Amino acid sequence: MDSQVDLRSIARGTPGFSGADLANLVNEAALFAGRANRAIVTNDDMQEARDKVLMGVERRSVVLSELDRVNCAYHEAGHAVVAALLPKADPLHKVTIIPRGRAMGVTMQLPEADRHTYTKEYLETQVAVLMGGRAAEELFMNHMTSGASNDIERATDIAQHMVCEWGMSELGPLAFRKPGNTYEADRAHTLSEATAQRVDEEIRKVVMTAYDHARTIVERNRNSVESRAQALLDRESLEADEIKALLATAGARA
Amino acid sequence: MDSQVDLRSIARGTPGFSGADLANLVNEAALFAGRANRAIVTNDDMQEARDKVLMGVERRSVVLSELDRVNCAYHEAGHAVVAALLPKADPLHKVTIIPRGRAMGVTMQLPEADRHTYTKEYLETQVAVLMGGRAAEELFMNHMTSGASNDIERATDIAQHMVCEWGMSELGPLAFRKPGNTYEADRAHTLSEATAQRVDEEIRKVVMTAYDHARTIVERNRNSVESRAQALLDRESLEADEIKALLATAGARA
Amino acid sequence: MDSQVDLRSIARGTPGFSGADLANLVNEAALFAGRANRAIVTNDDMQEARDKVLMGVERRSVVLSELDRVNCAYHEAGHAVVAALLPKADPLHKVTIIPRGRAMGVTMQLPEADRHTYTKEYLETQVAVLMGGRAAEELFMNHMTSGASNDIERATDIAQHMVCEWGMSELGPLAFRKPGNTYEADRAHTLSEATAQRVDEEIRKVVMTAYDHARTIVERNRNSVESRAQALLDRESLEADEIKALLATAGARA
Amino acid sequence: MDSQVDLRSIARGTPGFSGADLANLVNEAALFAGRANRAIVTNDDMQEARDKVLMGVERRSVVLSELDRVNCAYHEAGHAVVAALLPKADPLHKVTIIPRGRAMGVTMQLPEADRHTYTKEYLETQVAVLMGGRAAEELFMNHMTSGASNDIERATDIAQHMVCEWGMSELGPLAFRKPGNTYEADRAHTLSEATAQRVDEEIRKVVMTAYDHARTIVERNRNSVESRAQALLDRESLEADEIKALLATAGARA
Amino acid sequence: MDSQVDLRSIARGTPGFSGADLANLVNEAALFAGRANRAIVTNDDMQEARDKVLMGVERRSVVLSELDRVNCAYHEAGHAVVAALLPKADPLHKVTIIPRGRAMGVTMQLPEADRHTYTKEYLETQVAVLMGGRAAEELFMNHMTSGASNDIERATDIAQHMVCEWGMSELGPLAFRKPGNTYEADRAHTLSEATAQRVDEEIRKVVMTAYDHARTIVERNRNSVESRAQALLDRESLEADEIKALLATAGARA
Amino acid sequence: MDSQVDLRSIARGTPGFSGADLANLVNEAALFAGRANRAIVTNDDMQEARDKVLMGVERRSVVLSELDRVNCAYHEAGHAVVAALLPKADPLHKVTIIPRGRAMGVTMQLPEADRHTYTKEYLETQVAVLMGGRAAEELFMNHMTSGASNDIERATDIAQHMVCEWGMSELGPLAFRKPGNTYEADRAHTLSEATAQRVDEEIRKVVMTAYDHARTIVERNRNSVESRAQALLDRESLEADEIKALLATAGARA
């Protein structure tokens, strides 16, 4: 039985938290303390450092138009509500509309423990969470934007792993590709058009089913998404406990 | 939610205005001042420098035949009228038939603020603006020319991004390619002919719909295009306020 | 008549036990003895070294969630029961749920003698053993996980060799590819889509038949898998004789 | 609106007349004057130099069989008559059956001014002119020869630009490829077989229509082609005014 | 009319007996003599050296299971009987089940003279001889093994040459590929799927017909194969005259 | 109108007779004179040198079986009769069954003058001449051999040029490929399967028509082929005048 690399790395091309990452984390925390002229690294420094490492550096210099800002708030609120309501999703850690790295907003989930394997249900949930942003934009803003491009790419990647490597589709427990391997270059030649077509269909099925699921959840929980988006516009970032409180108030359900 | 690079860079392969671009801009302005033996860089120097950086250097040595010049005026007038009349289009900045770089004429739009995301409607508008030149040539000159080649290339690129990366077609929120990535080289192998065919059809639909839209606008506003083309033949360049005045006079509508 | 390289190497890319491997084995045994401050390398040191070389180094630092641990136990129990009951399978050597290398659990078979050729029945058996893990997860845990990814890859590789190089399908005794050979690069061009499609179908047939077989065996021997999984959760590793005893008790049959 | 590079360069891979070309031209003229022991470069030297630069160096050492010579005369006469009679064609400059470079004969057209864009009609005319040689061979010599290979290649190239880059076919204003660009390597993957087939059909339509047009013109002006071919066999080269005179005499019409 | 390189080299990638091979042969013979402390190289040394060069070095250290040994004996007996009974086959030289190189057993044929061309019948015979091993395994051992992998590869290679280079199929005297040639890289692009499919079918027909032929011969001569396999198990190697004697006794017929 | 490189170079990858070839020719003639201890290079030396340069060096050390020798004689006789009887064929220069280079026999034609273009009829004739060898083998030897492999390759190459570059098929005057050109790499992508299939069919039609033609000529002139093959077996080489005499005697007709 095999252990998998961190799912986040599948889409982002970086491995999970390595020793070097930890060293980096402590170093960043020390820098936050230093900038505040404190000799002691506090818990808050560590948390700020963790968020920077996980979500990218804040870029407060980026000026968003009001429309972009509102759109982003609903987009992240969509991710967050789907993540909060689906039972198999990793717990929410933080939602923010402060630009970080190349992202305009971030919805951060943190698993309760290291994951070594992923179940089909967990992966379907993750794809639904990724679709929550686009679904919210459509329902609240009545448009679709290029802001979902990374969500779309990651959702497609997960679906492809499910179908082509993890045997989680109707095509059954067969491998259909293995990247970065010269030996595989040969096998690729025997992937017929007929098979490629079935692979495409199964990948499509995974993503479209998750999208429909996300859309249903966002529609059914309009008030929760609305209140959360407003809270983001007011306060820019929401921590896990604030999110839970908002959901309880709104009577949300998956 | 992701922030996108400047749309202009998608077609032209150059990023938006970087720090180096700004340094370049200031430098060009200083050169304009220097050539005029002025010790102070005026606002006009800055504007001329900006136009040079954005649109390429003027090439007054290029001698156009009268036919090329008239054709170019109608082509740019077509772009300009579509851009001026579509509500989601970036505001017009300048229209000119003075050759610049490898362009014989330029219709320059400048967004009111930095764009971080693009809506589907905005992108459809941009493709329609790009089609306005060809449409005007057909309706006023009764021919089509190779002068639209860059418009065609950029329109196809935008349509491809909409369908393949931004989930803005009936194929839904799936990614169909990711350029310049070895990992992607593998995924390409599972893009079946059946899927490629549907992708081609959706790209075609985006461009053809925008073309029909542009043609309708140009037909419905024959007088506006005509008067603007004449103004270009008279004065070579039109600034934003002159364009607005012309449109108001002509009673144009989208 | 040709002798084949070790089947394990087909999936793992490493040849069988070479002279260097043997030197490594003895060295590892000496290290185990050294760590225990013993001047003499005992039989136990040799066995521990052999397991390390064959199955990877134990990684007791990896902390599995209880769910992962239970899932892994049923997964390995599935492999083990199928291997124990199929008459053509290599004898079981050891089953463990102590993480080793990138594996969370290992079911180790050791052939009674070096194998120089593989019969079709032996290969079909091996694919069924590989499918036993996924089958057990589905029947006992009621889910499927990414933990089967290496099983899936190895099963597909064996099926591909059977169909494309060893003439063991309805396509008959023809070769359909030969990796790592420039001469072959040409031949690939004459592998028509029609042939590639038939190759894909035959590979699929081998894996799906083996999967159905594995599922049937696991279903028919629910008690054996259950008791073996419980033993793994209690004791972490089971040696060959413990496994046999368990099977005899459970009255297992293929 | 874009300016295009010289059409001649599309087929021949060399740009239009650059500064270096001009220097070369003057140099060649000086050499002609030098060879004639004249201290002054005359207008004739300049013209001879221009023809050498545009059409390649004369190779009087090449000995043609009488059959090749006659065939060549009709081939060039075919080009010339089509070029002379189609209203959109660039004016004829010279026709010759003296071998130059790798050509056995040359029909040279010179545009009245630099062309910055090409209309669809102009390009269709050019393809018809290229087809005139083959058409004349078929009608007068009753055979077809490999002498049309460069005509065929250039005609196909122009048709491909019209369909794939300039939006001049029923496929509409879409781009179907962009050579020498790594970014484009990706797009190529989404060019489905269905689209490639339609592209092929449109390219074919352009060339075949032009060929039929050329054949009709040659048939309808048999006498003009005949007399021009005879003049070429007599005098080897015809200047523009001689050609016009011949046509007037023959009462030629497109 | 062209002379071909040695057929053995087609499958094995080594040319026929070169001068260097001869030097090697003499050297090997001298080593055999030297090991036996003989100053003179005998005829036996030369023969042993020849077998080593042609068939690979004996590897008596390889320990085969009894099953592998029996299987190998029937496999080689199958090759030998087909080779002995088909009139166009090269004469048998030696059959052995002593492992040599990566082979577990070898059936060696030696042509009576250098072959410069191959007839279609000779090539069909060679493919049938290659299929004799698999056929015998199936009929006597009631299984199929990976031991036929090199036979399968060589048979497919010969069939491919017959169809793609030597015009020996219903596709007629056309070339369908030429390996290791950049010029050919272009031609490959015009090998349509429809043609590739017909090529695949013809290659398949050659191999399957030869396989059926080999199977019929082995079935019809069960006793000959049986007695020859027993002789191999008793004596490990059979020389040409022993084989002929056995066949005469058994009353074998093709 | 373009001049083509020597047709022989199309198939053989070497250009026609260059200056260096001439120097080589004279040098070879001097060597022949030197070997005969003659101070003066005679006409015979020149002729022997020419044959060596055109046809490869004689390899009298190659020992052919009687069957190979007879087969070769009929093969070359087949080439020669077709070449002698088809009116558009280049005149025969020499026929020989003395091995030269990698050829076992050679039928040498020499055009009466340099060819700068090829007519469709001439090329069809050349393909028929190439097919004459295989046709004779089939009719007289009742078998087909690998000795025709170079004939097959050259015939396919000529047919491909006719269809893909010279517009000599029903596909019309379009180019379908241009080897060794990066620009062309792009165009290849638009060669659809449908077009590739039509190209394959036209190439096939050229070769098969020529093969049927060659077969008919050989059948109709059995006596001529027979007598010429016997003459070759008697005298090994036939000069042009001997061939003509034989044909006259036999009353041959195309």
Side-chain angles (χ1 to χ4, degrees):
Chain A
M1 172 144 206
D2 268 13
S3 159
Q4 302 295 330
V5 293
D6 184 3
L7 189 64
R8 288 188 305 271
S9 72
I10 294 169
R12 293 193 176 149
T14 53
F17 245 82
S18 66
D21 288 331
L22 283 174
N24 183 25
L25 180 72
V26 174
N27 201 37
E28 290 289 349
L31 288 172
F32 281 117
R35 269 177 230 134
N37 283 322
R38 278 186 275 95
I40 290 163
V41 175
T42 65
N43 202 29
D44 279 3
D45 294 329
M46 286 297 285
Q47 287 189 17
E48 210 167 335
R50 181 202 52 195
D51 286 357
K52 181 178 168 188
V53 169
L54 286 174
M55 304 191 293
V57 61
E58 283 189 6
R59 295 202 305 153
R60 293 201 172 262
S61 66
V62 174
V63 182
L64 300 185
S65 69
E66 187 54 24
L67 187 63
D68 272 346
R69 220 179 145 255
V70 171
N71 186 57
C72 184
Y74 282 98
H75 183 105
E76 300 304 331
H79 283 318
V81 165
V82 177
L85 293 177
L86 283 178
K88 299 283 184 182
D90 285 325
L92 276 172
H93 167 59
K94 194 172 198 166
V95 185
T96 176
I97 59 169
I98 304 169
R100 281 174 175 276
R102 63 169 274 229
M104 287 168 61
V106 177
T107 299
M108 189 80 213
Q109 296 166 275
L110 279 186
E112 273 149 2
D114 282 358
R115 287 192 177 273
H116 294 281
T117 54
Y118 306 112
T119 64
K120 191 183 172 197
E121 286 76 18
Y122 171 75
L123 294 162
E124 287 168 343
T125 295
Q126 274 309 104
V127 179
V129 171
L130 287 164
M131 291 292 110
R134 164 64 58 101
E137 281 189 58
E138 289 183 294
L139 290 167
F140 287 90
M141 304 296 291
N142 211 22
H143 65 200
M144 55 179 78
T145 72
S146 60
S149 67
N150 190 244
D151 299 339
I152 288 170
E153 188 189 332
R154 287 169 67 191
T156 308
D157 278 346
I158 291 171
Q160 182 147 17
H161 275 80
M162 291 172 70
V163 175
C164 298
E165 294 185 16
W166 297 335
M168 293 175 178
S169 79
E170 288 183 15
L171 297 181
L174 278 99
F176 294 103
R177 69 183 188 91
K178 198 177 73 182
N181 191 323
T182 52
Y183 172 74
E184 199 55 18
D186 293 289
R187 190 163 68 190
H189 280 291
T190 68
L191 195 66
S192 66
E193 162 66 16
T195 302
Q197 202 167 320
R198 293 183 69 187
V199 165
D200 278 6
E201 279 160 23
E202 292 297 324
I203 290 170
R204 179 176 175 76
K205 220 185 288 175
V206 171
V207 178
M208 292 312 291
T209 304
Y211 170 73
D212 290 342
H213 196 183
R215 225 183 128 100
T216 305
I217 293 171
V218 171
E219 272 176 336
R220 197 181 287 165
N221 296 279
R222 278 197 154 264
N223 292 348
S224 295
V225 179
E226 181 70 49
S227 62
R228 208 172 298 208
Q230 290 306 330
L232 278 169
L233 289 169
D234 289 350
R235 276 174 288 154
E236 289 192 319
S237 293
L238 297 176
E239 301 294 325
D241 40 6
E242 296 176 284
I243 300 169
K244 278 177 208 142
L246 280 165
L247 276 179
T249 313
R253 69 205 165 87
Chain B
M1 172 141 208
D2 268 14
S3 160
Q4 302 295 330
V5 292
D6 184 2
L7 189 63
R8 288 188 305 270
S9 71
I10 294 169
R12 292 191 178 152
T14 53
F17 246 81
S18 66
D21 288 332
L22 283 174
N24 184 24
L25 180 72
V26 173
N27 202 37
E28 290 288 350
L31 287 172
F32 282 116
R35 268 178 230 134
N37 283 320
R38 278 186 275 95
I40 291 163
V41 175
T42 66
N43 202 30
D44 279 2
D45 294 329
M46 286 299 285
Q47 288 189 17
E48 210 166 337
R50 180 202 53 195
D51 286 356
K52 181 178 168 187
V53 169
L54 286 174
M55 305 192 293
V57 61
E58 283 189 7
R59 295 203 304 155
R60 293 200 173 261
S61 65
V62 175
V63 182
L64 301 185
S65 68
E66 187 54 25
L67 187 64
D68 273 345
R69 220 179 144 256
V70 171
N71 186 56
C72 184
Y74 282 98
H75 183 105
E76 300 304 331
H79 284 317
V81 166
V82 177
L85 293 177
L86 283 177
K88 299 284 183 183
D90 285 325
L92 276 172
H93 167 60
K94 195 173 198 166
V95 186
T96 177
I97 59 168
I98 305 169
R100 280 174 175 277
R102 64 170 274 230
M104 286 169 61
V106 178
T107 298
M108 188 81 212
Q109 297 166 273
L110 279 186
E112 274 149 2
D114 282 357
R115 287 192 177 273
H116 294 281
T117 54
Y118 306 112
T119 64
K120 190 182 173 198
E121 286 75 19
Y122 171 75
L123 294 162
E124 287 168 342
T125 294
Q126 273 310 103
V127 178
V129 171
L130 287 164
M131 292 292 111
R134 163 64 59 101
E137 282 188 57
E138 289 183 294
L139 290 166
F140 288 90
M141 304 297 291
N142 210 22
H143 65 200
M144 54 179 80
T145 72
S146 59
S149 67
N150 190 245
D151 299 338
I152 288 170
E153 188 189 332
R154 286 169 67 192
T156 308
D157 278 346
I158 291 171
Q160 182 147 17
H161 275 80
M162 291 172 70
V163 174
C164 298
E165 294 185 16
W166 297 336
M168 293 175 179
S169 80
E170 288 182 16
L171 298 181
L174 278 100
F176 295 103
R177 69 180 190 95
K178 199 177 72 184
N181 190 323
T182 52
Y183 172 73
E184 198 56 17
D186 293 290
R187 190 164 67 188
H189 281 292
T190 69
L191 196 65
S192 65
E193 162 65 16
T195 302
Q197 201 167 322
R198 293 183 68 188
V199 165
D200 278 6
E201 279 160 24
E202 292 299 324
I203 289 170
R204 178 176 175 76
K205 221 186 288 175
V206 171
V207 177
M208 292 313 291
T209 304
Y211 170 73
D212 290 342
H213 196 183
R215 224 182 129 101
T216 305
I217 293 171
V218 172
E219 272 177 335
R220 197 182 286 164
N221 296 279
R222 278 198 155 263
N223 292 347
S224 296
V225 179
E226 180 70 48
S227 62
R228 209 172 296 207
Q230 290 306 331
L232 278 169
L233 288 169
D234 290 350
R235 277 175 287 155
E236 289 192 319
S237 293
L238 297 176
E239 300 295 324
D241 41 4
E242 296 175 286
I243 300 169
K244 278 176 208 145
L246 280 165
L247 276 179
T249 312
R253 68 207 164 86
Chain C
M1 171 142 207
D2 267 15
S3 158
Q4 302 296 330
V5 293
D6 184 2
L7 189 64
R8 289 188 306 270
S9 71
I10 294 169
R12 293 193 177 148
T14 53
F17 245 81
S18 65
D21 288 332
L22 283 174
N24 184 24
L25 179 73
V26 173
N27 202 37
E28 290 288 349
L31 287 171
F32 282 117
R35 269 177 229 133
N37 282 321
R38 276 186 276 97
I40 291 163
V41 175
T42 65
N43 201 30
D44 280 2
D45 294 329
M46 287 298 284
Q47 288 189 18
E48 209 167 337
R50 180 201 54 194
D51 287 356
K52 182 178 167 188
V53 169
L54 285 174
M55 303 192 293
V57 61
E58 283 189 8
R59 294 202 305 153
R60 294 199 172 264
S61 65
V62 175
V63 181
L64 300 185
S65 68
E66 187 54 23
L67 187 63
D68 272 347
R69 218 177 147 258
V70 171
N71 186 57
C72 183
Y74 282 98
H75 184 106
E76 300 304 331
H79 283 318
V81 165
V82 177
L85 293 178
L86 284 177
K88 299 282 185 183
D90 284 326
L92 276 173
H93 166 60
K94 193 173 199 166
V95 186
T96 176
I97 60 168
I98 304 169
R100 281 174 175 276
R102 62 169 276 229
M104 285 169 63
V106 178
T107 299
M108 190 79 213
Q109 297 166 272
L110 279 187
E112 273 150 1
D114 281 357
R115 285 191 179 275
H116 294 281
T117 54
Y118 305 112
T119 64
K120 192 183 172 197
E121 286 75 19
Y122 171 75
L123 294 162
E124 287 168 343
T125 295
Q126 273 310 102
V127 179
V129 171
L130 287 164
M131 291 291 111
R134 163 64 58 101
E137 282 189 56
E138 288 182 295
L139 289 166
F140 287 90
M141 305 296 292
N142 211 21
H143 65 200
M144 55 178 79
T145 73
S146 59
S149 66
N150 189 245
D151 298 339
I152 288 169
E153 188 188 334
R154 287 170 66 191
T156 308
D157 278 347
I158 291 171
Q160 182 146 17
H161 274 79
M162 291 172 71
V163 174
C164 298
E165 295 184 16
W166 297 335
M168 294 176 178
S169 79
E170 289 183 15
L171 297 181
L174 278 99
F176 295 102
R177 68 180 190 93
K178 198 177 73 182
N181 191 323
T182 54
Y183 172 73
E184 199 56 18
D186 294 289
R187 190 164 66 189
H189 281 292
T190 69
L191 195 66
S192 66
E193 162 66 16
T195 303
Q197 202 167 320
R198 292 183 70 188
V199 165
D200 279 5
E201 278 160 24
E202 292 298 323
I203 290 171
R204 178 176 175 76
K205 219 186 290 176
V206 171
V207 177
M208 292 312 292
T209 304
Y211 169 73
D212 290 342
H213 195 182
R215 225 183 128 100
T216 305
I217 293 172
V218 171
E219 272 177 335
R220 197 181 286 164
N221 297 280
R222 279 197 153 265
N223 291 348
S224 296
V225 179
E226 180 70 49
S227 62
R228 208 173 297 209
Q230 290 306 331
L232 278 169
L233 289 169
D234 289 350
R235 276 174 288 155
E236 290 192 320
S237 294
L238 297 176
E239 300 295 325
D241 39 6
E242 297 174 286
I243 300 169
K244 277 177 209 144
L246 280 166
L247 276 179
T249 312
R253 67 204 168 89
Chain D
M1 172 141 208
D2 268 14
S3 160
Q4 302 297 330
V5 292
D6 184 2
L7 190 63
R8 288 187 305 271
S9 70
I10 294 169
R12 292 192 178 150
T14 54
F17 245 81
S18 65
D21 288 333
L22 284 174
N24 184 24
L25 181 71
V26 174
N27 202 38
E28 291 287 349
L31 288 171
F32 282 117
R35 266 177 231 136
N37 283 320
R38 278 186 273 98
I40 291 162
V41 175
T42 65
N43 202 30
D44 280 3
D45 294 329
M46 286 299 284
Q47 288 189 18
E48 209 166 337
R50 179 201 55 195
D51 287 356
K52 181 178 168 188
V53 169
L54 285 174
M55 304 191 293
V57 62
E58 282 189 8
R59 296 201 305 154
R60 293 200 173 263
S61 65
V62 175
V63 182
L64 301 186
S65 67
E66 186 56 23
L67 186 65
D68 273 345
R69 219 177 146 255
V70 172
N71 186 57
C72 184
Y74 283 97
H75 183 106
E76 300 304 331
H79 284 317
V81 166
V82 178
L85 293 177
L86 284 178
K88 300 282 183 183
D90 285 325
L92 276 173
H93 167 59
K94 193 172 200 166
V95 186
T96 177
I97 59 168
I98 305 169
R100 282 175 175 277
R102 63 170 276 230
M104 285 168 63
V106 178
T107 299
M108 189 80 214
Q109 297 166 273
L110 279 186
E112 274 149 2
D114 283 356
R115 287 190 178 274
H116 295 281
T117 53
Y118 307 111
T119 64
K120 191 183 173 198
E121 286 75 19
Y122 171 75
L123 294 163
E124 288 167 342
T125 294
Q126 275 309 104
V127 179
V129 172
L130 288 164
M131 291 292 110
R134 163 65 58 102
E137 282 188 57
E138 290 183 294
L139 290 165
F140 288 90
M141 304 297 291
N142 211 21
H143 66 199
M144 55 179 78
T145 73
S146 59
S149 67
N150 189 246
D151 299 338
I152 288 171
E153 187 188 333
R154 287 170 65 191
T156 308
D157 278 346
I158 291 171
Q160 182 148 16
H161 275 80
M162 291 172 70
V163 174
C164 298
E165 294 185 16
W166 298 335
M168 293 174 179
S169 80
E170 288 183 17
L171 297 181
L174 278 100
F176 295 103
R177 69 182 189 92
K178 199 177 72 184
N181 190 324
T182 53
Y183 172 73
E184 199 55 18
D186 294 290
R187 190 163 67 189
H189 281 293
T190 69
L191 195 66
S192 65
E193 162 65 16
T195 302
Q197 202 167 321
R198 293 183 69 188
V199 165
D200 278 6
E201 279 160 22
E202 293 297 324
I203 290 170
R204 178 175 175 77
K205 220 185 290 175
V206 171
V207 178
M208 292 312 291
T209 304
Y211 170 73
D212 290 342
H213 196 183
R215 225 183 128 100
T216 305
I217 293 171
V218 173
E219 272 176 335
R220 197 181 286 164
N221 296 280
R222 278 197 155 263
N223 292 347
S224 296
V225 179
E226 180 70 49
S227 62
R228 209 172 295 208
Q230 291 306 331
L232 277 170
L233 289 169
D234 289 350
R235 278 175 285 154
E236 289 192 320
S237 294
L238 298 175
E239 300 296 323
D241 41 4
E242 296 174 285
I243 300 169
K244 277 175 208 144
L246 280 166
L247 276 178
T249 313
R253 67 204 166 87
Chain E
M1 171 143 208
D2 268 14
S3 159
Q4 303 296 329
V5 293
D6 184 3
L7 189 64
R8 289 189 305 270
S9 71
I10 293 169
R12 292 191 178 150
T14 54
F17 245 81
S18 66
D21 289 331
L22 284 174
N24 184 24
L25 179 72
V26 173
N27 202 37
E28 291 287 349
L31 288 171
F32 282 117
R35 267 177 231 134
N37 282 321
R38 277 185 276 97
I40 291 164
V41 175
T42 65
N43 201 30
D44 280 3
D45 294 328
M46 286 299 285
Q47 289 190 16
E48 210 167 337
R50 180 200 54 194
D51 286 356
K52 181 177 168 187
V53 169
L54 285 174
M55 304 192 292
V57 61
E58 283 189 7
R59 295 203 303 154
R60 294 200 172 263
S61 65
V62 174
V63 182
L64 301 185
S65 68
E66 187 54 24
L67 187 64
D68 272 347
R69 219 177 146 258
V70 171
N71 186 57
C72 184
Y74 281 98
H75 183 105
E76 300 304 331
H79 283 318
V81 165
V82 176
L85 293 178
L86 284 177
K88 299 283 184 182
D90 284 325
L92 276 173
H93 167 60
K94 194 174 199 168
V95 186
T96 176
I97 59 168
I98 304 169
R100 281 174 175 276
R102 62 170 277 230
M104 286 169 62
V106 177
T107 299
M108 190 80 213
Q109 297 166 271
L110 279 186
E112 273 149 1
D114 282 357
R115 285 191 178 274
H116 295 281
T117 52
Y118 306 112
T119 63
K120 191 182 173 200
E121 286 75 20
Y122 171 75
L123 294 162
E124 287 167 344
T125 295
Q126 273 311 102
V127 179
V129 171
L130 287 164
M131 291 291 111
R134 163 64 58 101
E137 283 188 56
E138 290 183 294
L139 289 166
F140 287 89
M141 305 296 292
N142 210 21
H143 65 200
M144 54 179 79
T145 73
S146 59
S149 66
N150 189 246
D151 299 339
I152 289 170
E153 189 189 333
R154 288 169 66 191
T156 308
D157 278 346
I158 291 171
Q160 182 147 16
H161 274 79
M162 291 171 70
V163 175
C164 298
E165 295 185 15
W166 297 336
M168 293 176 179
S169 79
E170 288 183 17
L171 297 181
L174 278 99
F176 295 102
R177 68 182 190 93
K178 199 178 70 183
N181 190 322
T182 53
Y183 172 73
E184 199 56 18
D186 294 290
R187 191 163 67 188
H189 281 292
T190 69
L191 194 66
S192 66
E193 162 66 15
T195 302
Q197 201 167 322
R198 292 183 70 189
V199 165
D200 278 6
E201 279 159 24
E202 292 298 323
I203 290 170
R204 178 177 175 76
K205 220 185 289 174
V206 171
V207 177
M208 292 312 292
T209 304
Y211 169 73
D212 290 341
H213 196 182
R215 225 182 128 100
T216 305
I217 293 172
V218 172
E219 272 177 335
R220 197 181 287 163
N221 297 279
R222 279 199 154 264
N223 291 348
S224 295
V225 179
E226 180 70 48
S227 61
R228 208 172 296 209
Q230 290 306 330
L232 277 169
L233 289 169
D234 289 350
R235 277 175 287 154
E236 289 192 319
S237 295
L238 298 175
E239 300 295 325
D241 40 4
E242 296 174 286
I243 300 168
K244 277 177 208 144
L246 280 165
L247 276 179
T249 312
R253 67 204 167 88
Chain F
M1 173 142 208
D2 268 14
S3 159
Q4 303 296 329
V5 292
D6 183 3
L7 189 64
R8 288 189 306 271
S9 71
I10 294 169
R12 293 192 177 150
T14 53
F17 246 81
S18 66
D21 289 332
L22 283 174
N24 184 25
L25 180 71
V26 174
N27 202 37
E28 291 288 349
L31 288 171
F32 282 116
R35 268 178 230 135
N37 283 322
R38 278 186 274 98
I40 291 163
V41 175
T42 64
N43 201 30
D44 281 3
D45 294 328
M46 286 299 284
Q47 288 189 16
E48 210 168 335
R50 180 201 53 194
D51 287 356
K52 180 179 168 187
V53 169
L54 286 174
M55 304 192 291
V57 62
E58 283 189 7
R59 296 202 303 154
R60 293 199 173 264
S61 66
V62 175
V63 182
L64 300 185
S65 68
E66 187 55 25
L67 186 64
D68 273 346
R69 218 175 148 257
V70 171
N71 186 57
C72 183
Y74 282 98
H75 183 106
E76 300 305 330
H79 284 317
V81 166
V82 177
L85 293 177
L86 284 177
K88 299 282 184 184
D90 285 324
L92 277 173
H93 167 59
K94 194 173 199 167
V95 186
T96 176
I97 58 169
I98 304 168
R100 281 175 175 275
R102 63 171 276 232
M104 286 168 62
V106 178
T107 299
M108 191 79 213
Q109 297 166 272
L110 279 185
E112 273 149 1
D114 283 356
R115 287 191 177 273
H116 295 280
T117 53
Y118 306 112
T119 63
K120 190 181 173 201
E121 286 75 20
Y122 171 75
L123 294 162
E124 288 167 342
T125 295
Q126 274 310 104
V127 179
V129 171
L130 287 164
M131 291 293 110
R134 163 65 58 101
E137 282 188 57
E138 289 182 293
L139 290 165
F140 288 89
M141 305 297 291
N142 210 21
H143 65 200
M144 55 179 78
T145 73
S146 59
S149 66
N150 189 246
D151 299 338
I152 288 170
E153 188 188 333
R154 288 170 66 192
T156 308
D157 278 346
I158 290 171
Q160 182 147 16
H161 274 80
M162 291 172 69
V163 175
C164 298
E165 295 184 17
W166 297 335
M168 293 175 179
S169 80
E170 288 183 16
L171 297 181
L174 278 99
F176 295 103
R177 71 183 189 91
K178 198 178 72 184
N181 190 323
T182 53
Y183 172 74
E184 199 55 18
D186 294 290
R187 190 164 67 188
H189 282 292
T190 69
L191 195 66
S192 65
E193 162 65 16
T195 302
Q197 202 167 320
R198 293 184 69 189
V199 165
D200 278 6
E201 279 160 23
E202 292 298 324
I203 290 170
R204 179 176 174 76
K205 220 185 290 175
V206 172
V207 178
M208 292 312 292
T209 304
Y211 170 73
D212 291 341
H213 196 182
R215 224 182 129 100
T216 305
I217 293 171
V218 172
E219 273 177 335
R220 198 181 287 163
N221 297 279
R222 278 198 155 262
N223 292 348
S224 296
V225 180
E226 181 70 48
S227 62
R228 208 172 297 209
Q230 291 306 331
L232 278 169
L233 289 169
D234 289 351
R235 278 174 286 153
E236 289 191 320
S237 294
L238 298 175
E239 300 295 324
D241 41 5
E242 296 175 285
I243 301 168
K244 277 175 208 145
L246 280 165
L247 276 178
T249 313
R253 68 203 166 88

